[in-house]
Amino acid sequence: IAGITQAPTSQILAAGRRMTLRCTQDMRHNAMYWYRQDLGLGLRLIHYSNTAGTTGKGEVPDGYSVSRANTDDFPLTLASAVPSQTSVYFCASRGVVDTGELFFGEGSRLTVL
Amino acid sequence: GQNIDQPTEMTATEGAIVQINCTYQTSGFNGLFWYQQHAGEAPTFLSYNVLDGLEEKGRFSSFLSRSKGYSYLLLKELQMKDSASYLCAVLDSNYQLIWGAGTKLIIKP
């Protein structure tokens, strides 16, 4: 089934631990995005990649890093998790940057204690 | 700064019509999107407007006025399954999406 796969779907993590959220798409979309969604704040862009080999910072990049070694994969890493990073994380992709709709993964619910 | 405003919550009755408004102030404009998000799920695409006017798609319609920085999503013949959050997002001059906080729509029988 074509689409975006995120893993894990849910995780409880101790503060200070390193965590990587995985995201894989099979639609050959060039652009990929990581958002976090918190109650009352809507979706906030963490990092993005317009094409394989390039990445950029979004609205809330601090404490997060990404890589884009190939078209399909776009992992998000929390180097040292803090409780304020408790959130739902969505990976998304877009085939046409200037007009195309975003396709979202099912989300990863992360709790940092 | 960039800003998108939409009501936090709305309540409507099954079978009725509801209009969800969205106003925006962004650096440039390359289109406006509406997404639907059911609780615990990912957002899904509803509509895209780049020119002024009304776009109709079944029970859902979306309107855009670029001069007023205003859009609305119109939902007709409301069904219980329409209970969800509705997200307004604007594509800015850098082709990045700026998101509103979403409107939670509650449908009552």
Side-chain angles (χ1 to χ4, degrees), chain A residues 10-15 82-83 85-87 89 109-113:
Chain A
S10 181
Q11 182 76 42
I12 299 174
L13 187 66
V82 295
Q85 292 177 311
T86 294
S87 187
Y89 292 85
R109 182 174 295 275
L110 184 66
T111 301
V112 183
L113 301 176

Side-chain angles (χ1 to χ4, degrees), chain B residues 4-98:
Chain B
I4 296 183
D5 287 318
Q6 46 181 138
T8 302
E9 186 174 298
M10 299 181 69
T11 302
T13 304
E14 190 177 17
I17 298 172
V18 70
Q19 177 175 311
I20 303 174
N21 295 325
C22 170
T23 58
Y24 62 89
Q25 290 179 306
T26 57
S27 57
F29 178 85
N30 283 300
L32 185 144
F33 290 80
W34 284 96
Y35 281 79
Q36 180 190 60
Q37 185 177 25
H38 286 101
E41 299 182 7
T44 55
F45 171 81
L46 285 178
S47 68
Y48 169 69
N49 294 68
V50 65
L51 299 176
D52 289 351
L54 187 68
E55 295 277 345
E56 297 184 81
K57 190 184 296 184
R59 293 188 299 114
F60 292 9
S61 302
S62 56
F63 172 82
L64 175 67
S65 169
R66 289 172 296 172
S67 63
K68 296 182 179 179
Y70 168 69
S71 173
Y72 67 72
L73 181 69
L74 191 71
L75 291 73
K76 302 176 185 177
E77 301 169 14
L78 285 170
Q79 302 175 9
M80 297 304 293
K81 68 178 182 180
D82 297 331
S83 291
S85 288
Y86 291 85
L87 314 180
C88 175
V90 171
L91 201 60
D92 72 6
S93 57
N94 295 318
Y95 294 100
Q96 294 293 351
L97 276 170
I98 309 302

Side-chain angles (χ1 to χ4, degrees), chain A residues 33 35 37 40-43 45 48 50 90 94 97-102 104-106, chain B residues 30 33 35 37 40-45 48 87 91 94-97 99-102:
Chain A
Y33 308 84
Y35 290 95
Q37 187 175 39
L41 293 179
L43 288 162
L45 183 65
Y48 66 93
N50 286 331
F90 286 103
R94 184 164 54 174
V97 173
D98 56 347
T99 60
E101 67 180 270
L102 278 180
F104 285 85
E106 291 303 307
Chain B
N30 283 300
F33 290 80
Y35 281 79
Q37 185 177 25
E41 299 182 7
T44 55
F45 171 81
Y48 169 69
L87 314 180
L91 201 60
N94 295 318
Y95 294 100
Q96 294 293 351
L97 276 170
W99 295 85

Side-chain angles (χ1 to χ4, degrees), chain A:
Chain A
I1 298 176
I4 298 180
T5 303
Q6 289 184 234
T9 56
S10 181
Q11 182 76 42
I12 299 174
L13 187 66
R17 298 295 297 268
R18 180 183 180 90
M19 177 72 194
T20 295
L21 303 180
R22 300 184 298 278
C23 176
T24 299
Q25 55 104 358
D26 61 2
M27 297 176 283
R28 308 303 294 171
H29 285 170
N30 283 323
M32 297 188 73
Y33 308 84
W34 274 106
Y35 290 95
R36 60 177 290 173
Q37 187 175 39
D38 303 289
L39 197 63
L41 293 179
L43 288 162
R44 292 184 292 169
L45 183 65
I46 304 171
H47 284 287
Y48 66 93
S49 169
N50 286 331
T51 189
T54 69
T55 62
K57 294 182 179 180
E59 180 185 357
V60 288
D62 294 343
Y64 305 94
S65 64
V66 292
S67 61
R68 186 87 184 278
N70 56 62
T71 298
D72 298 344
D73 300 301
F74 191 44
L76 176 73
T77 297
L78 290 68
S80 179
V82 295
S84 62
Q85 292 177 311
T86 294
S87 187
V88 179
Y89 292 85
F90 286 103
C91 181
S93 72
R94 184 164 54 174
V96 179
V97 173
D98 56 347
T99 60
E101 67 180 270
L102 278 180
F103 293 83
F104 285 85
E106 291 303 307
S108 297
R109 182 174 295 275
L110 184 66
T111 301
V112 183
L113 301 176

